[in-house]
Amino acid sequence: MDKNFYITTPIYYPSARPHMGHAYSSIIADFFSRFKSIDGYKVHFLTGTDEHGLKIQRSAEKQGLDPIKFCNQISETFRDLSKTLNLTNTDFIRTTEDRHKKTVQHLWKELEKNDHIYLSNYSGWYSVSDEAFYNEDEIEEVDGKKISITSKSAVEWIEEESYFFRLSKWEKPLLEFYEKNPEFISPSSRRNEVISFVKSGLKDLSVSRKSFSWGVQVPGNKNHVIYVWLDALTNYISALNYPNKEDELFKKFWPASLHLIGKDILRFHAIYWPAFLLAAKIELPKKVYGHGWILSGDEKMSKSKGNILDPLQIIDEYGLDPLRYYLIKEVSFGNDGNISQDRLEDCINSDLANNYGNLCQRVTAFAIKNCDGKIPEKIKFEDDDFNILNKFKDNLENIRSKIDQQDLNFYIDYIVNSLFEANKYFNDQEPWKKKDDITRLNTIVFTSLEIIRKISFLLYPIIPGSVLKALKIFNLGENDIKLEDVSKNEFLIKGNSINKIDILFKKIEKDND
Ligand code: MSP
């Protein structure tokens, strides 16, 4: 079986400063990308920027810039962010690129050719901030202003000529598809939400706008631009060179393994996108996972609410890996989570500095002093050693299957427990008292080093930079990290040198200590 894995993040609206919600989506996607890579998969990891539509046109106008100039500048900040976050994305797509625009127009023509699109008039509510149409029952009035009940963003009334996609026709086929593919929408709470929305009835969807021009032109009608969501969603296949179905990228990576998205854009990915694909006779992605929000207080963090936490500031102050670890550990995956600097500092001090960093330092220092700076050669495992070493082997299949279900919470708990057990093992075995039984001392050191190696391999998708520093102990580099080797008990080469490493995580002095 080909081991290919195609993961996507949503392409970001280029807003002047990326916030923690953006960073979160990307870091999680990077976790899956790295995990699958070390598990022997060829990974295609796509991210990018979503640059058309009224929202962008207005933002550019506000700054007195031509939209493309505005996008060029801001798209670059997201490209920079992907570097700052140490993402392993294999592509970065911009919807203003020709490769993308061509695919969007092709898809449009396919839909039109097969009578899935017709020209009519739209009148209804539209949120520019969400780039979404809302029904009357999805709107409320607060302080004299009409807003969307779910996103709380302002809506405006629009009436204009528009092309429509026959979404209503796909109600039944979509429900059948969800039924046959129960994992298509995950987690299950989101699936239920989507199913009940579809069951309540789908209306045809307006898929073009006439009153502004910043978008991909409707083929054959230069008065209309294609609705920005039809344009944006298509990025997932334009990046694989669709419509060239014979293209290597398309053959290898479509259907996508995982569209990772925030729950606010579930409707677009779990209803509209599969309906467009069904209509165009393109295979559907395997899974759409809607994660929760990073909250600030009780609210979703977003630029329009002015409650943004700046990931760059946090990275400057604490470093990238602590932020990656913190977001993965403390935001229960699938649910909303609050960010707290205090909890971040606790994570650094207890999990990273004490449980992982200190373990690496202690064991290495002891081995350098007592085992001649080498991986001990003469060893003889006892039950205590086998017990802890074999746990990794026994759990590997389970770990893989949990990751295929995006059970990040299981994964991080597994690591936290393993670190606890590793420290306990080293303390309980008291190798410093075994100086007159060198085989036992060697075996404890060897076992501890192997555990550090195994845990480091598992930690790599979460804190890659720090793990690579830790693996210098064994002269191991990125290409040596293979998930299957987590099950090996004698991976380290006996007699090889052990290197001293710098402190991995500095403890934070806390004001209230
Ligand atoms: N441009 C669209 C996506 C098009 S995909 C074909 C978009 N962009 S966005 O910049 O607003 O959001 C990008 C991603 O960040 C979405 O998955 C969104 O859910 C996520 N987040 C934005 N704010 C967030 C939080 N406060 N918390 C967690 N993720 C959130 O939507």
Side-chain angles (χ1 to χ4, degrees):
M1 188 189 80
D2 272 356
K3 288 177 86 174
N4 297 323
F5 187 76
Y6 179 28
I7 180 160
T8 67
T9 69
I11 43 174
Y12 299 96
Y13 291 128
S15 54
R17 253 185 116 63
H19 61 64
M20 196 61 84
H22 300 137
Y24 180 67
S25 274
S26 297
I27 287 171
I28 300 290
D30 190 58
F31 167 88
F32 288 112
S33 160
R34 286 178 189 267
F35 181 91
K36 286 292 180 181
S37 295
I38 64 170
D39 201 15
Y41 284 73
K42 287 243 171 325
V43 175
H44 197 56
F45 171 10
L46 178 69
T47 186
T49 41
D50 180 359
E51 304 182 10
H52 290 130
L54 194 50
K55 172 150 91 172
I56 307 298
Q57 183 173 312
R58 284 187 183 165
S59 303
E61 277 162 6
K62 252 197 211 154
Q63 295 197 16
L65 285 175
D66 202 35
I68 191 62
K69 280 219 171 95
F70 171 83
C71 291
N72 287 345
Q73 281 174 14
I74 311 239
S75 177
E76 208 49 38
T77 59
F78 278 85
R79 224 183 258 272
D80 290 346
L81 179 72
S82 57
K83 291 183 193 125
T84 310
L85 298 176
N86 197 6
L87 304 186
T88 43
N89 58 298
T90 43
D91 196 356
F92 184 101
I93 194 162
R94 297 182 55 186
T95 54
T96 45
E97 288 174 87
D98 273 351
R99 61 168 170 161
H100 173 74
K101 291 194 277 190
K102 273 201 254 165
T103 306
V104 175
Q105 289 187 324
H106 176 91
L107 182 65
W108 179 281
K109 284 192 223 150
E110 283 294 292
L111 296 176
E112 206 177 26
K113 191 171 81 192
N114 294 309
D115 191 34
H116 297 297
I117 286 181
Y118 62 93
L119 189 61
S120 180
N121 286 296
Y122 179 80
S123 56
W125 296 107
Y126 190 76
S127 155
V128 177
S129 167
D130 304 341
E131 296 284 18
F133 301 95
Y134 289 110
N135 298 331
E136 198 64 50
D137 60 357
E138 295 175 297
I139 299 300
E140 62 182 349
E141 194 166 321
V142 175
D143 298 334
K145 279 196 186 135
K146 301 273 193 190
I147 60 169
S148 141
I149 296 172
T150 42
S151 73
K152 307 290 176 212
S153 26
V155 292
E156 46 195 77
W157 184 258
I158 56 170
E159 277 187 30
E160 63 188 37
E161 182 186 74
S162 172
Y163 285 92
F164 282 79
F165 170 72
R166 298 187 197 280
L167 183 64
S168 53
K169 191 173 131 187
W170 297 101
E171 198 176 301
K172 242 182 99 202
L174 281 173
L175 289 170
E176 280 165 16
F177 180 78
Y178 302 146
E179 181 78 35
K180 269 202 209 124
N181 299 275
E183 296 217 324
F184 174 66
I185 306 167
S186 292
S188 55
S189 53
R190 310 248 187 271
R191 169 185 147 82
N192 298 338
E193 200 183 294
V194 169
I195 290 179
S196 70
F197 183 82
V198 175
K199 277 189 176 156
S200 74
L202 293 178
K203 289 204 295 204
D204 289 351
L205 178 71
S206 162
V207 284
S208 78
R209 297 293 310 269
K210 203 181 169 188
S211 50
F212 64 91
S213 57
W214 184 237
V216 179
Q217 228 178 58
V218 165
N221 187 342
K222 51 184 182 326
N223 296 327
H224 284 249
V225 289
I226 296 177
Y227 174 39
V228 63
W229 271 100
L230 172 52
D231 163 352
L233 287 159
T234 306
N235 90 94
Y236 299 132
I237 52 174
S238 57
L240 303 181
N241 301 324
Y242 180 84
N244 183 1
K245 287 187 171 177
E246 290 313 308
D247 186 274
E248 270 311 298
L249 278 177
F250 190 83
K251 280 204 307 210
K252 242 184 176 157
F253 292 113
W254 192 258
S257 318
L258 181 59
H259 288 321
L260 193 69
I261 58 162
K263 63 180 184 180
D264 48 324
I265 54 175
L266 189 62
R267 196 180 289 183
F268 304 98
H269 284 82
I271 302 174
Y272 303 167
W273 179 227
F276 298 148
L277 291 170
L278 283 171
K281 298 195 169 59
I282 302 172
E283 217 178 325
L284 268 49
K286 292 187 190 134
K287 192 180 276 191
V288 172
Y289 189 102
H291 64 68
W293 287 334
I294 305 291
L295 304 174
S296 180
D298 283 336
E299 286 198 316
K300 175 182 176 237
M301 200 175 3
S302 73
K303 189 174 156 225
S304 53
K305 295 200 186 94
N307 57 1
I308 290 179
L309 261 176
D310 185 346
L312 301 177
Q313 241 171 5
I314 302 261
I315 293 169
D316 258 2
E317 197 171 337
Y318 298 100
L320 169 65
D321 282 352
L323 175 66
R324 291 179 59 117
Y325 182 89
Y326 171 78
L327 288 174
I328 290 175
K329 176 168 178 221
E330 294 286 318
V331 181
S332 155
F333 193 54
N335 301 316
D336 295 346
N338 256 294
I339 294 261
S340 128
Q341 209 148 328
D342 195 42
R343 288 292 306 139
L344 169 63
E345 293 183 353
D346 286 346
C347 265
I348 297 176
N349 285 350
S350 73
D351 296 31
L352 296 175
N354 267 352
N355 295 351
Y356 180 55
N358 197 27
L359 177 73
C360 293
Q361 296 292 346
R362 271 171 85 198
V363 174
T364 328
F366 187 85
I368 290 176
K369 198 159 160 219
N370 297 286
C371 305
D372 208 15
K374 301 215 165 93
I375 312 277
E377 300 201 41
K378 205 166 158 247
I379 62 166
K380 187 165 177 286
F381 289 134
E382 293 180 6
D383 282 354
D384 282 353
D385 317 317
F386 277 130
N387 280 346
I388 185 157
L389 285 168
N390 287 342
K391 270 193 191 158
F392 293 90
K393 180 155 114 205
D394 298 343
N395 274 296
L396 201 54
E397 263 323 295
N398 192 27
I399 289 176
R400 282 196 176 101
S401 102
K402 293 285 188 190
I403 289 303
D404 283 339
Q405 296 157 43
Q406 290 71 46
D407 194 344
L408 258 182
N409 301 329
F410 168 89
Y411 192 82
I412 190 76
D413 281 351
Y414 182 79
I415 287 180
V416 170
N417 284 336
S418 302
L419 280 170
F420 173 80
E421 286 179 10
N423 278 292
K424 186 171 182 324
Y425 168 86
F426 194 67
N427 291 340
D428 290 356
Q429 294 297 325
E430 302 181 310
W432 47 90
K433 290 190 181 162
K434 306 283 159 44
K435 293 199 175 154
D436 48 2
D437 180 354
I438 198 67
T439 305
R440 187 64 205 138
L441 182 145
N442 278 348
T443 308
I444 298 167
V445 169
F446 185 89
T447 304
S448 304
L449 290 169
E450 276 292 9
I451 298 168
I452 289 176
R453 179 201 54 90
K454 288 172 189 242
I455 296 181
S456 297
F457 281 18
L458 290 174
L459 271 172
Y460 166 79
I462 305 179
I463 48 168
S466 312
V467 162
L468 292 180
K469 282 190 202 155
L471 288 178
K472 291 210 171 107
I473 299 174
F474 314 112
N475 280 318
L476 294 174
E478 203 156 23
N479 294 336
D480 299 308
I481 306 176
K482 301 207 168 65
L483 191 69
E484 64 187 11
D485 290 337
V486 167
S487 59
K488 291 192 182 144
N489 291 344
E490 293 186 67
F491 172 90
L492 295 172
I493 299 175
K494 294 172 187 142
N496 271 9
S497 305
I498 293 171
N499 303 308
K500 195 170 167 347
I501 51 159
D502 294 335
I503 301 261
L504 293 175
F505 303 95
K506 281 208 195 83
K507 275 198 154 187
I508 314 282
E509 299 275 347
K510 294 188 70 171
D511 298 340
N512 53 357
D513 267 358

